Amino acid sequence: MSISHTEFGRRIGYSFRDPGLLELALTHRSYGGENNERLEFLGDSIVNFVIGEALFQRFPKAREGQLSRLRARLVKGKTLAELGREFSVGEQLRLGSGEMKSGGYRRDSILADAVEAVIGAIYLDSDMQTIKARVLSWYASRLESINLQDTQKDPKTRLQEFLQSRQMALPRYEVTSVEGEAHAQTFTIECHIEALAEHTIGIGNSRRHAEQEAAEKALALIEPKGARA
């Protein structure tokens, strides 16, 4: 069920002076004509900077690698999609008929891109201080709960080291599908491990992201619970 732009503005904590920017931010490329891809590019840069600065200030003794891993965790597609669901972004999206029928309004990659586009739109509609305050407000609980123990190595590295330490064959990643145009593709990748009867599947807007998701799922199946605590 769709909500009004007024209600959407209340949820994100911002009322647009130029409603056209919000319309554009919520327009997927499948809709035709102008779409949110340029705003997405801008929003991606902004959220990376704002969260990076917040982490820099919050953890004054953290190393560069730790800060990078924390930021990656907070600005990854899955986290942005979670924000999108909290704001009911899917209900506001303008999608082409094909994407609408296939449930595009629920897809993580589309929701994440739309959230980044909304960030870019708010910046253009106001200024850096305003969008910085909005992003920090949206991320407040996540920033409060995160700590340096969350800076563990990425799933692919952890999976490889886990298998190597047990003298097991390394994982094999297989691209099973690539959808979308060259500048906005969605990758589906399978992770095959001899120790697992079934393969795991990862989906992402880059091959790397899809491989990381597939590796994370494999780790959840093969790694002892105590090692994940």
Side-chain angles (χ1 to χ4, degrees):
M1 183 177 178
S2 179
I3 60 174
S4 67
H5 281 182
T6 300
E7 171 62 17
F8 182 70
R10 187 188 66 78
R11 294 188 183 191
I12 65 174
Y14 183 80
S15 179
F16 277 85
R17 290 178 292 182
D18 180 1
L21 280 171
L22 176 58
E23 288 282 349
L24 184 60
L26 297 169
T27 302
H28 188 256
R29 66 178 183 275
S30 63
Y31 193 77
E34 278 195 290
N35 58 64
N36 63 7
E37 290 180 339
R38 283 172 54 83
L39 288 175
E40 173 201 336
F41 166 81
L42 183 60
D44 175 70
S45 300
I46 293 169
V47 72
N48 270 276
F49 168 73
V50 172
I51 296 302
E53 182 186 49
L55 293 170
F56 182 85
Q57 294 172 346
R58 184 175 177 79
F59 301 106
K61 295 184 179 180
R63 298 185 300 275
E64 183 270 342
Q66 291 177 303
L67 293 173
S68 293
R69 286 191 287 273
L70 283 176
R71 182 178 62 181
R73 176 173 174 173
L74 289 170
V75 303
K76 66 182 180 180
K78 184 177 180 180
T79 305
L80 288 164
E82 289 173 358
L83 286 172
R85 291 189 177 91
E86 291 170 13
F87 301 145
S88 300
V89 165
E91 299 172 11
Q92 299 291 100
L93 287 172
R94 296 201 296 177
L95 301 168
S97 58
E99 281 290 358
M100 184 65 72
K101 290 177 182 177
S102 66
Y105 58 91
R106 294 190 299 263
R107 192 170 302 139
D108 276 8
S109 59
I110 290 179
L111 290 173
D113 290 348
V115 169
E116 289 179 335
V118 168
I119 289 170
I122 293 175
Y123 168 73
L124 292 179
D125 195 60
S126 56
D127 51 41
M128 190 62 190
Q129 286 304 113
T130 299
I131 186 53
K132 178 180 176 180
R134 285 297 83 223
V135 170
L136 291 177
S137 173
W138 300 348
Y139 272 93
S141 62
R142 291 172 172 86
L143 284 167
E144 187 65 30
S145 63
I146 204 164
N147 57 66
L148 291 180
Q149 292 179 345
D150 296 315
T151 61
Q152 59 184 346
K153 297 173 182 177
D154 65 83
K156 277 189 69 178
T157 301
R158 283 162 45 216
L159 178 59
Q160 180 170 318
E161 290 180 352
F162 178 88
L163 296 173
Q164 286 178 326
S165 68
R166 288 158 177 79
Q167 297 182 334
M168 300 164 70
L170 295 180
R172 177 172 59 85
Y173 298 94
E174 179 183 354
V175 179
T176 58
S177 74
V178 181
E179 299 178 353
E181 298 176 12
H183 63 288
Q185 294 179 324
T186 298
F187 292 78
T188 300
I189 286 181
E190 294 179 353
C191 175
H192 297 263
I193 300 175
E194 289 183 4
L196 292 177
E198 299 180 4
H199 59 262
T200 56
I201 297 174
I203 300 174
N205 56 13
S206 72
R207 178 168 182 161
R208 177 180 175 276
H209 288 160
E211 288 178 346
Q212 295 288 9
E213 182 176 299
E216 189 168 23
K217 291 179 179 178
L219 273 169
L221 294 174
I222 198 173
E223 201 174 36
K225 289 185 178 179
R228 299 197 298 269

